[in-house]
Amino acid sequence: MAESRGRVWTGVIRVAPSRGDHRVALRAAVSVGVPLLILWAVGRLDLSIYASFGAFAALYGRTDGFGDRLRMQAGAGGVLVLAMLAGTGLSVVGAPPLVSVVSVAVVASLVTLLAYAMRWHPPGALFAVFAIGATASIPASGIAFVNVLVVGVGSVLFSLLVTALLATASARSLPEIAITRARQPIGDVAWEMAVTVGAATLLGGAIGLLLVGSHWYWAMVGAAAAVSGAHLTARVIRGVQRLVGTLAGVLIAAGILALHLPPLAVILIAIAFQACAEMFVGRNYGIAMVFITPLALLMVELAAPTSIDVLLRDRALETVIGVAAGTLIAVISAAVRRRQAPPTHPGR
């Protein structure tokens, strides 16, 4: 037991060495920053959430070759746009919150299977859960579908352009678009992951909706993060890192939001935080969450201003609920796997 706890805490505080993270940070900062600055210039920051989620395509394939990275970003970007359209549809038809929670959980399971089959990096459905949940929570009319397509697809395409330009600049010529990552079949491992993610997000979202009410999708994102990982120890480490990093990030966000900065200053801070997050997300998820949390809160405040106290409270409480729900499901999943595992025979 002590050895297991030791592995968890060692994993929580360990900071892996840098592996060219500055290149990913630059790509992410440009991909996120330029669309936001354009929306600020035309006075449409209410559409910034669509631009941000579309730009998340740039975060995929950080260590892959150019061809694999481009394909991964195009596929993930398409899924993010579809997730925003689905969330917008839930908002437009006035779906009850519980229906939205169930819908997000179903999408989480499906995208988990797709990400596994396509071997996406980062794996899993966390960004898709965030995209559909956030857009489902924002009041919308029919014109929002057009906004998602124009702004969201535009941001995805811009991210692909940034990826291509930076790769060309690095190679000093247009790099070969070679595909080396073969798809992998969906087997028992993928199905276990999909069921676990679906159950965790459903439980987290339902509890968050019941106990807090608003911003329930943050509980679902927290649950999805807490069940990511190949085994129970990795999942517990991820959950603890998300919880601790989020709570620290909420304090930073409180200080920034209390300054009531002009939108341009908020955007510049968000760009810097996006770069810092990408510098650490592959090295220590907890440290990355210190930057990701205020970034997410600033983006929500830009797109749909609300009470700062409610925003900060919801982020903290929904994250605690989500991580707790995800960790519970992770433990149950591990117990089920142990019971289903074939017995070992000493000496063979």
Side-chain angles (χ1 to χ4, degrees):
M1 182 68 72
E3 181 182 355
S4 178
R5 287 197 297 267
R7 287 198 301 270
V8 169
W9 288 112
T10 299
V12 168
I13 64 175
R14 179 177 179 270
V15 180
S18 176
R19 295 188 302 170
D21 299 297
H22 60 284
R23 290 189 290 271
V24 186
L26 175 62
R27 188 166 67 239
V30 174
S31 297
V32 171
V34 171
L36 291 179
L37 289 171
I38 291 174
L39 290 176
W40 168 78
V42 299
R44 291 304 307 270
L45 282 178
D46 57 304
L47 306 179
S48 60
I49 193 165
Y50 307 138
S52 298
F53 286 130
F56 282 171
L59 307 183
Y60 286 83
R62 60 187 296 126
T63 59
D64 293 278
F66 175 66
D68 291 321
R69 182 186 306 147
L70 204 62
R71 184 179 71 167
M72 205 178 298
Q73 290 180 356
V79 168
L80 288 169
V81 171
L82 290 175
M84 286 190 283
L85 289 172
T88 300
L90 291 169
S91 177
V92 170
V93 302
L98 185 57
V99 172
S100 295
V101 168
V102 173
S103 301
V104 174
V106 171
V107 168
S109 291
L110 293 176
V111 175
T112 297
L113 290 176
L114 178 63
Y116 181 90
M118 301 302 294
R119 301 177 67 185
W120 286 353
H121 185 272
L126 188 145
F127 290 137
V129 170
F130 194 4
I132 183 174
T135 50
S137 302
I138 297 176
S141 60
I143 192 63
F145 292 111
V146 177
N147 294 333
V148 170
L149 290 174
V150 173
V151 179
V153 173
S155 291
V156 172
L157 293 177
F158 180 71
S159 296
L160 297 178
L161 176 62
V162 171
T163 294
L165 290 177
L166 290 180
T168 300
S170 177
R172 298 186 178 181
S173 64
L174 183 63
E176 180 183 358
I177 305 178
I179 306 298
T180 61
R181 271 185 175 265
R183 300 177 185 179
Q184 56 185 351
I186 296 175
D188 292 342
V189 172
W191 283 111
E192 183 274 334
M193 292 169 58
V195 172
T196 301
V197 170
T201 50
L202 180 60
L203 179 61
I207 296 175
L209 180 60
L210 178 65
L211 297 184
V212 181
S214 53
H215 297 106
W216 44 265
Y217 60 89
W218 278 333
M220 303 188 78
V221 174
V227 292
S228 64
H231 48 78
L232 179 59
T233 300
R235 291 173 174 179
V236 172
I237 289 172
R238 191 78 161 183
V240 172
Q241 288 178 328
R242 185 169 187 95
L243 179 59
V244 175
T246 295
L247 295 179
V250 165
L251 295 177
I252 295 174
I256 296 173
L257 292 171
L259 297 175
H260 301 288
L261 298 171
L264 179 58
V266 172
I267 291 172
L268 295 177
I269 292 173
I271 294 172
F273 280 175
Q274 181 69 72
C276 291
E278 291 309 308
M279 287 292 293
F280 286 99
V281 72
R283 303 167 63 192
N284 185 289
Y285 187 60
I287 296 176
M289 285 306 305
V290 175
F291 299 105
I292 292 172
T293 299
L295 168 63
L297 292 171
L298 291 175
M299 290 298 95
V300 171
E301 180 64 15
L302 279 177
T306 186
S307 168
I308 294 177
D309 291 341
V310 170
L311 197 65
L312 298 171
R313 180 206 67 188
D314 286 2
R315 180 69 181 197
L317 292 179
E318 296 285 10
T319 298
V320 171
I321 291 170
V323 169
T327 301
L328 174 61
I329 296 298
V331 171
I332 293 173
S333 176
V336 171
R337 286 202 306 272
R338 284 195 298 268
R339 291 186 62 180
Q340 293 179 342
T344 57
H345 300 282
R348 292 191 179 182

